[in-house]
Amino acid sequence: MKLTTAILFTGAFRAVVLAKQNGSINFEGFKVYRIDTSDVADLKSTYDNLSIIELNHNRNHQHGSSDTIDIAVPPEHVAVFDTLDFNTTILSRNLGADIATEGSLGSYPELDDDGVPGLSWFDSYHAYEDHVRYWADLQASFVNNSELIQVGSSFEGRPIQGIHLWGSSGKNSKPAVFFNGNVHAREWITSIVVEYLLYQIVTGYKNDTAVQAALDNYDFYVLPVVNPDGFVYSQTTNRLWRKNRQTRDNTTAVGTDINRNWSVGFGGDGSSSNPSSETFSGYQAGDAPETAALMEFAQTLATNKGIKLYIDWHSYAQVILLSYGYICDSFPKNIDRQISLAGETASRIAQPYNTTFDYGPGCLVLYQSSGNGRDYMTDAAGAEFGWGIELRSTSYGFVLPANQIIPSSVEIWEGMKYLWANM
Ligand SMILES: [Zn+2]
């Protein structure tokens, strides 16, 4: 059966037509390259001519500050691309095979005697509805110290939800630790790593003194999937979808980059006013319903007990991003303290498996990005530490094999235990 439907994939600079099979885009034969962009003036025309999909930008300080971009090239254009004179390394010879290796969505685990879903949850990625069920089960097993929360609704009407957890002083009595996962739809590792942190808190509070101290000192507000529409779309239709699924008048392009739609630095460099762009900011700050809900919730936390730590979870640059992203020559007042905490957090993350995380102000250590969440938390919600963390892996990209969920979680847990005890 031939099922070739032309659909629009919003690439970085233009819409690209890809073949759809069985309702979802088939990435069989796509080759993934890392291009050294140090002395490349203009990639745009190449992207346009070869229907290239842009993945991540990277900046590698440990190896001479070279800037690179990772891209996926469709099979019909690989031969032509290989004749071009770029300085590249091959990250993957077949993205379709990587997606197969990533593994299919797993089944729901049995609950243990305390009603907690078993650790086999972390052996695979999961469908969105199962994540919703997971949060409910985890909360129900920890009923005296937690509640389910909903901060708003997505463009397609899904609840933006998660768990609020507290310690011995009771609900709403301590400064907030506020986590957002899966703002970018294709970054699947982020929601499940955040769930591992939740699992460790819920199961550790009984007898782990480090967990007790953290939860007794802070109210945790954890939203593992703040872009549910995009996340579902990345599972049903396009594994590499990034933005939300918001439609706009007068364009067929779909999706706003929620992490360019916040009010601080809105519309500046490192965001785009073009609805087809992967970094489309929207037309006004907060005109994506997901961002509006998160900004409002942040203000509630700010006026309550304040925000101690915000982390927006991303993949895959392996970096701890501090404010600012929207400006490059100005820094938060406590930047020295932030850098020292981030450096030690990175060294704790490295302990289990030697995974290297860079750290520093976003604009310097990765790239300029305006209208992002961490800058909003720093400048508009009074967060002491407004951070983003890009999880592993710089070699696998967004399509991280499921057998790396546990290692990625374990190393981040080590970093978080240090950070919560020392911030
Ligand atoms: Zn991201």
Side-chain angles (χ1 to χ4, degrees):
M1 182 173 60
K2 197 170 177 225
L3 243 182
T4 315
T5 313
I7 71 133
L8 289 175
F9 182 97
T10 53
F13 296 103
R14 59 165 285 192
V16 177
V17 178
L18 295 177
K20 237 173 124 184
Q21 284 190 347
N22 305 322
S24 65
I25 292 173
N26 179 8
F27 290 100
E28 189 63 27
F30 276 66
K31 212 164 161 181
V32 181
Y33 298 84
R34 179 160 296 164
I35 308 180
D36 186 330
T37 53
S38 312
D39 42 31
V40 176
D42 175 32
L43 283 169
K44 183 182 179 306
S45 57
T46 307
Y47 285 171
D48 286 353
N49 293 337
L50 300 183
S51 306
I52 279 167
I53 300 169
E54 191 178 51
L55 305 174
N56 254 24
H57 294 246
N58 321 281
R59 183 175 286 178
N60 197 336
H61 290 275
Q62 272 131 10
H63 302 284
S65 222
S66 64
D67 289 356
T68 59
I69 291 181
D70 300 345
I71 59 162
V73 181
E76 63 272 24
H77 296 313
V78 163
V80 175
F81 180 81
D82 283 341
T83 66
L84 302 176
D85 201 20
F86 292 121
N87 180 5
T88 64
T89 49
I90 295 169
L91 296 182
S92 168
R93 293 177 188 283
N94 183 359
L95 185 56
D98 297 347
I99 290 171
T101 304
E102 180 182 45
S104 48
L105 302 180
S107 57
Y108 200 81
E110 304 254 321
L111 304 187
D112 71 14
D113 293 344
D114 296 322
V116 180
L119 270 173
S120 68
W121 175 257
F122 301 100
D123 292 342
S124 60
Y125 297 97
H126 297 276
Y128 175 69
E129 314 80 68
D130 282 348
H131 284 277
V132 174
R133 184 175 161 196
Y134 186 83
W135 310 330
D137 282 342
L138 213 53
Q139 190 277 326
S141 78
F142 198 52
V143 71
N144 294 327
N145 292 78
S146 69
E147 63 187 353
L148 292 173
I149 52 173
Q150 180 182 342
V151 306
S153 296
S154 67
F155 183 78
E156 292 177 345
R158 292 183 178 86
I160 300 168
Q161 55 190 331
I163 309 184
H164 169 202
L165 310 99
W166 57 85
S168 56
S169 304
K171 180 174 160 178
N172 294 324
S173 58
K174 297 290 183 180
V177 170
F178 182 22
F179 287 173
N180 290 176
N182 247 138
V183 58
H184 289 144
R186 61 195 178 185
E187 298 166 10
W188 289 4
I189 188 61
T190 63
S191 45
I192 200 156
V193 164
V194 163
E195 286 163 352
Y196 184 87
L197 303 179
L198 282 171
Y199 174 90
Q200 289 295 343
I201 293 172
V202 166
T203 59
Y205 189 67
K206 268 184 297 205
N207 46 30
D208 182 329
T209 51
V211 172
Q212 287 165 355
L215 198 52
D216 289 345
N217 286 330
Y218 303 105
D219 276 49
F220 281 71
Y221 302 85
V222 180
L223 307 173
V225 181
V226 299
N227 177 13
D229 301 348
F231 185 63
V232 167
Y233 192 74
S234 76
Q235 295 191 321
T236 59
T237 309
N238 179 349
R239 177 65 190 85
L240 292 182
W241 189 259
R242 168 184 167 96
K243 301 187 283 183
N244 73 0
R245 292 292 302 161
Q246 187 169 10
T247 53
R248 304 267 183 178
D249 292 342
N250 306 317
T251 175
T252 55
V254 175
T256 303
D257 185 348
I258 299 169
N259 202 33
R260 299 294 183 276
N261 188 241
W262 300 74
S263 61
V264 169
F266 178 81
D269 286 348
S271 69
S272 173
S273 58
N274 176 356
S276 296
S277 168
E278 291 285 24
T279 54
F280 175 49
S281 62
Y283 295 126
Q284 291 172 38
D287 69 1
E290 297 85 359
T291 322
L294 293 169
M295 288 200 289
E296 191 182 338
F297 187 65
Q299 291 307 318
T300 305
L301 298 181
T303 52
N304 186 16
K305 300 289 174 187
I307 301 173
K308 180 76 177 188
L309 169 70
Y310 171 77
I311 300 180
D312 195 20
W313 295 90
H314 292 261
S315 65
Y316 54 84
Q318 293 177 205
V319 59
I320 301 174
L321 302 168
L322 317 177
S323 292
Y324 295 108
Y326 77 109
I327 36 176
C328 307
D329 54 0
S330 175
F331 306 96
K333 281 197 288 290
N334 63 350
I335 190 65
D336 290 345
R337 167 120 176 87
Q338 294 207 44
I339 286 174
S340 113
L341 264 181
E344 192 56 38
T345 301
S347 78
R348 300 304 168 111
I349 292 171
Q351 278 177 1
Y353 310 103
N354 237 342
T355 313
T356 308
F357 275 63
D358 209 345
Y359 57 94
C363 187
L364 302 186
V365 82
L366 197 60
Y367 47 79
Q368 192 164 10
S369 77
S370 294
N372 70 64
R374 63 183 186 278
D375 290 348
Y376 177 88
M377 295 297 164
T378 298
D379 275 8
E384 192 171 336
F385 305 110
W387 290 10
I389 296 187
E390 294 243 358
L391 301 171
R392 57 157 96 180
S393 118
T394 50
S395 39
Y396 284 94
F398 299 120
V399 187
L400 187 67
N403 64 14
Q404 290 202 30
I405 294 170
I406 286 280
S408 183
S409 300
V410 165
E411 66 197 8
I412 291 301
W413 177 241
E414 290 304 314
M416 288 302 104
K417 275 191 295 185
Y418 171 83
L419 180 61
W420 299 341
N422 292 278
M423 67 189 183

